[in-house]
Amino acid sequence: MQWQKSSFSGVEGGNCVEVADHEGQILIRESDAPDTVITAAPARLRGLLRALKAER
């Protein structure tokens, strides 16, 4: 599985949000706690991100 670091995490590589695509699901983890993974369906994650952006 290929994890991708968020572009907002900076170049130092400290605490980063990472995402991966696995069998049609989106996996999300924090680099300092890689054993804790949140799984989301792509459509649900898009809905969450839209809602969060709208509240800015």
Side-chain angles (χ1 to χ4, degrees):
M1 185 172 346
Q2 179 100 11
W3 288 93
Q4 181 179 347
K5 183 174 83 166
S6 168
S7 61
F8 291 100
S9 296
V11 295
E12 294 179 17
N15 297 335
C16 305
V17 173
E18 300 173 322
V19 297
D21 182 359
H22 181 68
E23 297 180 357
Q25 296 292 311
I26 304 300
L27 308 180
I28 306 165
R29 70 180 184 183
E30 193 168 339
S31 63
D32 66 346
D35 293 332
T36 303
V37 178
I38 297 171
T39 304
R44 292 217 178 235
L45 182 58
R46 277 191 300 274
L48 172 64
L49 294 174
R50 268 193 228 110
L52 292 172
K53 287 179 181 181
E55 290 187 20
R56 282 187 178 184

